[in-house]
Amino acid sequence: MHGDEAPSPWVQRWAHLLPAGARVLDVACGRGRHVRWLAARGCAVTAIDRDADALSGLQGVAELITADIEAGPWPCAGRTFDAVLVTNYLWRPLWPLLLDAVAPGGWLLYETFAHGHQTVGRPARPAFLLEAGELLRVCQGLRIVAYEDGFLPAPERFVQRVVAVREEAGASAPPRYPLSSPPAPPG
């Protein structure tokens, strides 16, 4: 991934749910396509990747953490975020840590490859492909606002993606989660 690639349409579609100034954790961020995009929208982004060279281009844009999150300790222990973002990455042992990092009222935005992708490209190993409904099972305890599991044509890929919120206890009225971005003000 290159940092100048467009953000995922899934992330773009649901970013309106993030509060102004949201603290966002971008896990396995690569060169930072989402880091840059979210920071430009006023989010305070923490970017994690094991590749220090990939992170080097993000100096001054985000808090940068170089860490091997598959072999080393979780670098955000005890921290929570308004949003945890993961795209094109899967390491199942991280699930509990990622979910713990979602603050009350915070969001999990997750999108990665799903079973079936092995027929059109890489990754092809089952360890790196979500099983049918896996994100729904992982997000039990969160409120699912959006979920998709299917095929996208260009480029061809099988994906599974979710947007889920850790609802705050004791709300006096049912929360309203807009399913589309509010219209831009007239300019």
Side-chain angles (χ1 to χ4, degrees):
M1 292 283 155
H2 303 287
D4 57 354
E5 289 182 11
S8 156
W10 183 253
V11 173
Q12 291 180 51
R13 177 178 173 191
W14 296 104
H16 70 275
L17 295 170
L18 306 182
R23 295 167 298 119
V24 178
L25 175 63
D26 189 347
V27 178
C29 68
R31 297 200 178 276
R33 65 182 175 142
H34 296 113
V35 173
R36 293 176 194 286
W37 190 80
L38 290 165
R41 280 148 188 78
C43 294
V45 183
T46 299
I48 298 177
D49 203 275
R50 69 179 180 186
D51 185 347
D53 289 337
L55 290 174
S56 67
L58 299 172
Q59 291 290 336
V61 176
E63 174 190 357
L64 306 179
I65 300 174
T66 304
D68 183 345
I69 56 178
E70 294 175 14
W74 177 240
C76 293
R79 294 178 66 182
T80 60
F81 298 85
D82 301 313
V84 174
L85 170 64
V86 185
T87 61
N88 299 333
Y89 179 77
L90 177 61
W91 185 250
R92 289 175 177 90
L94 283 180
W95 283 124
L97 299 168
L98 295 174
L99 295 173
D100 285 348
V102 178
W107 295 90
L108 175 67
L109 289 85
Y110 206 113
E111 174 183 29
T112 198
F113 301 102
H115 178 73
H117 191 75
Q118 70 276 14
T119 65
V120 296
R122 292 183 148 199
R125 291 181 36 212
F128 302 116
L129 302 174
L130 291 166
E131 292 297 325
E134 187 171 356
L135 281 177
L136 291 175
R137 291 187 298 278
V138 167
C139 290
Q140 288 181 349
L142 301 180
R143 179 169 176 179
I144 306 297
V145 174
Y147 172 77
E148 294 181 346
D149 185 356
F151 179 78
L152 295 169
E156 287 190 339
R157 63 203 185 279
F158 287 80
V159 299
Q160 197 172 136
R161 43 202 190 180
V162 70
V163 174
V165 62
R166 180 179 307 287
E167 291 186 313
E168 296 188 62
S172 59
R176 295 181 181 195
Y177 303 117
L179 298 180
S180 60
S181 300

